Amino acid sequence: MKSKETTMLLAILVLAPLLMLAPYGLKYFQGNTSFSGGDTYNSLRMIQLYKENGLTGVDPLQQRAISMDITYPLLSLIHANSETIAIIIPILIGILTAYIFYLLLKDLKIEGQELLFGILIIIVSPLYIYSFTNLSTEIISTPLLALTVLLLRKNSYFSAIPIIILAFADLKILILGVLAIIAICAGDKSKRKLGIITLASGIIAATASILLFKQNFALEFATATPTLNNIFVELGAQQGYSLIVFALASIGFVIFWNRKRVTLTAILVILAAFAASAFYPKLRLPVLFILALLAGVAVNSIAKREWHNPSMKDFTLILILCSIIFSTVVFLKAQSTYLPEDKIEAIRYLSATNPDDTILSSERNGYLIEYYANRRAYLDPQSYKHPDYKERLETSNLIYSSRSLADAEKLMKENGITHIFVDEQMLSGEVWTSRQEGLLFLLENSMEFVKIFENEQGKIYKYVGDSLQ
Amino acid sequence: MKSSTKVWLAVILTIVLAARLYIAFQTPHLSLDAYTTVRQVEQITETGLPLYNDPLSYGGRTQIYSPLYQYFLALFNLVLPIEVVFKVIPNIIAALTVLVAFHLAKSISKNETTALLIALISGFIPVFFNNTINNGSIYNAIIPLFLLTTHYFLATNKDPKYLPHLIWTMILLTVLHPASLILAISLLIYMLLLRLQDFRESSREPEAILFFTFFVVWLNLILYQKSLSVHGATAIWQNIPSAIIQNSYGSITALQSIYTVGVIPLILGLASIYISLFTSKKKTITLLMAICLTIFLMIWLRAIELTTGFIFLGAALTAISAYSLGILYENSKILKISKAPTILVLIIILLLAILFIPNISVAKKIAGETPTQKDINAYIWIKENTPANSTIMVLPEEASAMSYYANRPNVIDDNYLLISDVNRRYYDATNVWNDVFITSALEKLNYYSVKYIILTEHNQNTNNIRKPAFIPHACATQVYPYTSEETGPKIYRINCGLIQKGGQK
C-alpha cells in the first residue's frame, strides 16, 4: 500500500511537470518561443500593469475598467521574468492542485487503484495540461476550491480562508464551491456547522467583491455557446474534456450510482456542474477533477471485473490506455503548433503603427495584438465583460460583411479602426467563408486599403482613405 | 439445416446475384460515383500503397479513408480488369447478405422457411439493391458484415464459442468503415433498453459492448483525427455540402421513403417491434429494435446521409421482420385452410415480386448513371491535348471520372472531407455554367486556376444546358470538338484572367 502511494506521488511530481513542459519542449525544437494559450498574454500584460501602477482600476491600453481578479495582484508580487511567471508558476500550481486532489480523494476513502487511476487520468488530461500551461485565473481558483472542500472535510475552520480568496478570484467557481459545500453538508450532518460558516464567509466575501469590483456583474456570467466542438478536445476545443475520459466518467457515474455510496444531492451537484461547464469553460477544470475520479472508478471496475475472456479484458484496457494517450498526444501536438512564429512576426509588425491606432481582428487575436504590438484591439476575449460588447460585436460584423466602401469607412472612422489584421482562421470560416466576401472584396480591390504586411500566417491592411482625400 | 433448405438458399443466392450482375452489365462503364474508389484501387494495384496524397482531387489534397476494402478489390484487380472487378466482386459480397440474413432470421424465428423468406427479402431491399450495383460501394461489404456482427452478438449470448467470431467481425467492421459507430451506439441503447424492459443482462454482453465501443472510438479517433479536428462534430456528415444534404432530405416524400426502404420489411418490422413491446418481450428483438431506433434517430437528426440511413434501416427492418413473419407462419398452420403456410409463403413471394419488379427500372436507371462514351472520349482528348497540370472544371459528381480518364486535377469531386470551403466550391462548380457575365465566371475560374471547362453530355442532360451562359466570349475558346456540333461534350479553354488591384493578373 505504501509503495502504491509512493508511485502516485512520484507520478504527480514527475509525470505532471513533464507533460506540462512537453508543449514548450516541442515548440522549442521548432524554434518557437511563444507561450501556450491566449490567456497567458493577457495575464502577463495585467501582471505588468499591476507591477507598474499598483492596484489600478483601468486598463490604459484598452481604455476600460479592469475586472477585479485577485490572481493578477497576487502574481504581480512575484519578482521574476515573464517566462518564469508564464511557465513555471502555473506548473507549480498544477502540481499543487493535483496533490490537493490526491489528499481529497484519500479523505473520501477512495484508495488503491481507483485513486491511482483517478490521479493518472487527471495528469494526462488535455484540459489539465492546457490549464496549467496557460496563465489564467483558473489556476488560482481551482486549487482554492479544492482546498476549501478538503479543509471542510477535515473539519478545519481554515476552510473559510480559501473560499474568501476565491470570492475575489472567480464568482462562477465560487458558486461551484457553494454547491460542493451543500453536497458535503447534505451527506454528513457533523459538517453542517462548519459548512454554514464557510458558506457565510464565501457569500459575504462575494458580496463585497461584487459591490467593490464587479461593475458589470451580469456580464461576468455571459455564457459561451455550448457546441460539441468547444466541449471536447478531439473535436477542436482547446479548453475541453477528452471524449474518452467523458465516456469512462459516464460508466463511472453509473457504477457510483449503483454503489449507493453518494447522496442524491452529490449526484445532482455533479450533473449541474457538468451541465454548467458546457456554458462556462472556466468551470471545466474543477469539473475535470470530478470526471477523472469517476473515470478512475470505471477503469478500476473494468480491471477488477471477472471477464469470461481475459484477453478481451486486457485488450479493452489497452484500448482505453491507448485512447487516453492518443488524446493527450494529439493535444500536445496541437499545442506545439499554436501561435507559429510567422503569426507573431505579423502581429509584431503592428507595433510600427501609431500608438493611438485601433486594430480590428478576430476576438481570438485580441490579447496577442495587445501584448506583442501594444496596440488597442477593437475586440478581445475580455470584451464580453463590458457593456458595449454587443455594439462592438455588431459593428465588427457589419464591417466584415460590408461590400460598400462608404459603409465600411463610416463604421471604421466612427470607431477609430485604422488597421485590419486577417489570419488564416478568419479566412477559412471564422469570419468569411469565401474569397471576396464582404470586406475581403474591399481589402483586395479598393484603393482605400493598402496591404502593408503579408506572410503565411497573416495579412495587415491599413485604411488610407483619409490620406487619399 | 435441411438439405432442401440448403438448395433453396443456393437458389435465392443465385437469383439475387444474377439480378445484380444482369443490371450491372447492362452498361459498359461504372457509375459516376465509383471512380473515386476506382482511382484508389488502381493506385494500390500499381504501387501497393493507398492514395493518401491525391494530386488530382481538388487540385491536390490529403485523402482520409481506411484502405482495407480498396486493398481487397485491388487483389482481384491484379488478374481482372477494373470494370469487371467493380461489377462482379462487390455484387458477390452484397449477395452474401442473403446467407447472413438467413442465419440471423433463423436464430430469431427458429424456422427455416421463415428464414428463407427473410433471405429472399434481404436480397431485394430496394434502397440497398438500387444504390450498390454498379459503383463498387463499400456498403456492399458493410451491410452483410453489419448483420453478421449482429448475428454473432446474439449467438455469443447463447454459446460462448462464437465469441472469437464476434470479435473478428467487430474488428473487421470497425476497420472497414466508420459505420461501425452505428452498431456501437445501437449496443449502448440496447443495454439501456434491457434495463428498461427488466431483462436479465448476460455477463458476456457488457464485455463485448465495452470492447467494441472502445475499439470503435479508438480506431476512429486515430483514422479520422484530422477530419475531426478540422470539422469537429460535423465530421459525421463527412463535410457534405449543405446543398446536397438539403436536396437529399428535401426531395423525398414519405411514400417514397416507405417504398425505398421496402414495404414488406417496413410492415413486418413494425409488427415485430409492436409484438415485442406490447405482447411478448424478446431479447434478440430488443437488439434489433435498438439498431432500428439508432438509425431512425440518426436519420431524424440528419446525422447520416439519407440513402445510407435507409440502406441500414432497410437491412435492420428486414432482420427484425423474421420475428413477426415467424409468428405469422406458425399461426397459419392452425388455420382451417389446407396448405395455409405454403399459401402464405407464396403470397409473400408474390407481393415481393409485385413490389420489386417496378423497382428494376429504377435500379437500371441509377446503375446507368455512368459517363457516356462521348464524355469519356472528351476526357481522353484532355489527357492527350492539354498540359499535365491543367485544372479542369466539371460537375462535382463527374470530377472523379474526369480525373480518372483525363488524369487532370479537378476543382471539386465527391469526397468532401477536409475541404474548408466546400460549400463555396460546390456552388461555384454547379453554377459557373449559368453565369451570364464573363467577369463573374472568370472570378470563379481564376480563383481555382481553371484552364479548361468541360460541359459533358451528363451535365447537358441533367441541367438542360447546351453551352455555358457566358459563351460566346473571346475569353473562352471551344477547343473540342473542332466541329460545331450541337450535341455532345464541349471543352473550352480559358484565355483570360481578371486584373486585380495594382495591375496584378
Side-chain angles (χ1 to χ4, degrees), chain B residues 309-325:
Chain B
F310 279 162
I311 288 176
F312 279 98
L313 192 62
L317 283 171
T318 304
I320 204 172
S321 297
Y323 186 48
S324 57
L325 191 60

Side-chain angles (χ1 to χ4, degrees), chain A residues 38-279:
Chain A
D39 285 344
T40 305
Y41 293 96
N42 181 55
S43 302
L44 285 174
R45 203 172 64 80
M46 286 296 128
I47 291 165
Q48 194 57 34
L49 195 67
Y50 279 108
K51 273 184 181 171
E52 285 167 6
N53 305 341
L55 275 179
T56 175
V58 179
D59 176 354
L61 180 64
Q62 289 298 101
Q63 294 174 353
R64 66 186 177 197
I66 298 174
S67 176
M68 177 59 192
D69 190 320
I70 204 157
T71 315
Y72 304 134
L74 278 179
L75 290 173
S76 70
L77 299 174
I78 301 169
H79 289 281
N81 59 22
S82 53
E83 281 78 14
T84 310
I85 293 174
I87 300 172
I88 306 297
I89 300 293
I91 290 177
L92 289 176
I93 298 174
I95 297 167
L96 183 71
T97 311
Y99 184 67
I100 296 172
F101 181 62
Y102 163 79
L103 294 176
L104 190 58
L105 290 187
K106 282 197 76 175
D107 191 64
L108 288 164
K109 304 279 180 286
I110 290 163
E111 286 172 337
Q113 285 192 322
E114 277 185 3
L115 179 57
L116 175 69
F117 290 136
I119 292 286
L120 283 175
I121 287 170
I122 272 283
I123 288 169
V124 300
S125 286
L127 180 54
Y128 174 80
I129 298 170
Y130 175 80
S131 300
F132 292 108
T133 48
N134 190 7
L135 189 63
S136 65
T137 51
E138 296 100 291
I139 66 164
I140 296 278
S141 39
T142 304
L144 285 173
L145 169 67
L147 200 58
T148 307
V149 176
L150 179 67
L151 292 172
L152 180 63
R153 292 268 322 162
K154 290 199 175 290
N155 270 327
S156 166
Y157 281 94
F158 287 114
S159 61
I161 297 172
I163 203 165
I164 289 170
I165 305 172
L166 183 58
F168 288 92
D170 196 312
L171 289 178
K172 291 183 276 283
I173 296 184
L174 175 80
I175 293 172
L176 199 60
V178 168
L179 291 175
I181 293 167
I182 292 170
I184 291 168
C185 295
D188 188 348
K189 284 182 183 172
S190 66
K191 303 269 187 312
R192 284 190 183 168
K193 191 182 155 197
L194 183 58
I196 290 166
I197 294 170
T198 313
L199 264 181
S201 313
I203 291 166
I204 292 165
T207 314
S209 161
I210 293 163
L211 292 175
L212 292 171
F213 305 112
K214 309 283 180 191
Q215 295 167 353
N216 301 302
F217 175 65
L219 291 168
E220 288 282 327
F221 289 88
T223 57
T225 316
T227 63
L228 289 175
N229 296 358
N230 66 31
I231 294 175
F232 294 107
V233 152
E234 289 84 353
L235 303 180
Q238 260 201 324
Q239 196 176 2
Y241 305 116
S242 157
L243 271 171
I244 202 80
V245 170
F246 174 72
L248 285 169
S250 308
I251 298 170
F253 185 77
V254 175
I255 295 168
F256 239 63
W257 185 296
N258 287 342
R259 278 187 197 170
K260 297 185 173 62
R261 261 181 59 186
V262 283
T263 60
L264 184 66
T265 322
I267 285 170
L268 288 175
V269 167
I270 292 172
L271 288 175
F274 179 75
S277 75
F279 295 88

Side-chain angles (χ1 to χ4, degrees), chain A residues 21-34 36 87 335-337 341:
Chain A
L21 282 169
Y24 293 109
L26 291 169
K27 276 185 182 186
Y28 177 78
F29 287 116
Q30 293 165 13
N32 187 329
T33 53
S34 63
S36 295
I87 300 172
Q335 280 299 97
S336 70
T337 53
E341 280 291 318

Side-chain angles (χ1 to χ4, degrees), chain A residues 151-434:
Chain A
L151 292 172
L152 180 63
R153 292 268 322 162
K154 290 199 175 290
N155 270 327
S156 166
Y157 281 94
F158 287 114
S159 61
I161 297 172
I163 203 165
I164 289 170
I165 305 172
L166 183 58
F168 288 92
D170 196 312
L171 289 178
K172 291 183 276 283
I173 296 184
L174 175 80
I175 293 172
L176 199 60
V178 168
L179 291 175
I181 293 167
I182 292 170
I184 291 168
C185 295
D188 188 348
K189 284 182 183 172
S190 66
K191 303 269 187 312
R192 284 190 183 168
K193 191 182 155 197
L194 183 58
I196 290 166
I197 294 170
T198 313
L199 264 181
S201 313
I203 291 166
I204 292 165
T207 314
S209 161
I210 293 163
L211 292 175
L212 292 171
F213 305 112
K214 309 283 180 191
Q215 295 167 353
N216 301 302
F217 175 65
L219 291 168
E220 288 282 327
F221 289 88
T223 57
T225 316
T227 63
L228 289 175
N229 296 358
N230 66 31
I231 294 175
F232 294 107
V233 152
E234 289 84 353
L235 303 180
Q238 260 201 324
Q239 196 176 2
Y241 305 116
S242 157
L243 271 171
I244 202 80
V245 170
F246 174 72
L248 285 169
S250 308
I251 298 170
F253 185 77
V254 175
I255 295 168
F256 239 63
W257 185 296
N258 287 342
R259 278 187 197 170
K260 297 185 173 62
R261 261 181 59 186
V262 283
T263 60
L264 184 66
T265 322
I267 285 170
L268 288 175
V269 167
I270 292 172
L271 288 175
F274 179 75
S277 75
F279 295 88
Y280 300 109
K282 284 191 170 190
L283 294 183
R284 287 178 195 163
L285 182 61
V287 172
L288 174 72
F289 284 82
I290 305 171
L291 293 188
L293 160 66
L294 295 172
V297 169
V299 175
N300 187 49
S301 164
I302 293 169
K304 279 194 171 164
R305 185 188 163 104
E306 285 282 323
W307 286 49
H308 284 88
N309 189 331
S311 50
M312 196 152 94
K313 169 180 152 179
D314 295 341
F315 198 37
T316 306
L317 285 169
I318 290 169
L319 281 175
I320 292 171
L321 183 71
C322 289
S323 307
I324 292 173
I325 292 172
F326 180 76
S327 295
T328 311
V329 170
V330 168
F331 178 76
L332 290 176
K333 189 169 166 268
Q335 280 299 97
S336 70
T337 53
Y338 171 76
L339 199 54
E341 280 291 318
D342 272 359
K343 187 162 175 180
I344 298 175
E345 186 196 351
I347 293 172
R348 276 203 175 115
Y349 190 84
L350 285 166
S351 59
T353 58
N354 289 326
D356 292 339
D357 287 344
T358 301
I359 321 294
L360 176 68
S361 187
S362 160
E363 269 183 56
R364 200 173 26 80
N365 292 324
Y367 288 160
L368 302 172
I369 292 167
E370 292 156 19
Y371 181 81
Y372 281 115
N374 197 27
R375 291 292 174 269
R376 190 181 312 131
Y378 187 64
L379 284 168
D380 70 11
Q382 285 274 324
S383 300
Y384 78 92
K385 288 186 179 175
H386 297 273
D388 60 349
Y389 175 61
K390 212 174 161 187
E391 197 182 302
R392 281 181 180 241
L393 196 65
E394 215 165 88
T395 305
S396 69
N397 286 337
L398 280 173
I399 295 173
Y400 288 142
S401 61
S402 175
R403 254 197 169 201
S404 150
L405 182 62
D407 292 348
E409 270 183 323
K410 185 172 171 273
L411 288 167
M412 287 175 69
K413 279 180 187 170
E414 277 174 8
N415 292 280
I417 296 166
T418 51
H419 291 76
I420 295 154
F421 174 73
V422 178
D423 68 4
E424 198 47 46
Q425 228 170 309
M426 292 169 76
L427 289 170
S428 33
E430 188 189 40
V431 177
W432 299 286
T433 51
S434 64

Side-chain angles (χ1 to χ4, degrees), chain B residues 386-392 408-409 449 451-452:
Chain B
T386 65
N389 59 352
S390 310
T391 301
I392 315 292
R408 293 293 177 271
S449 308
K451 296 288 182 284
Y452 294 86

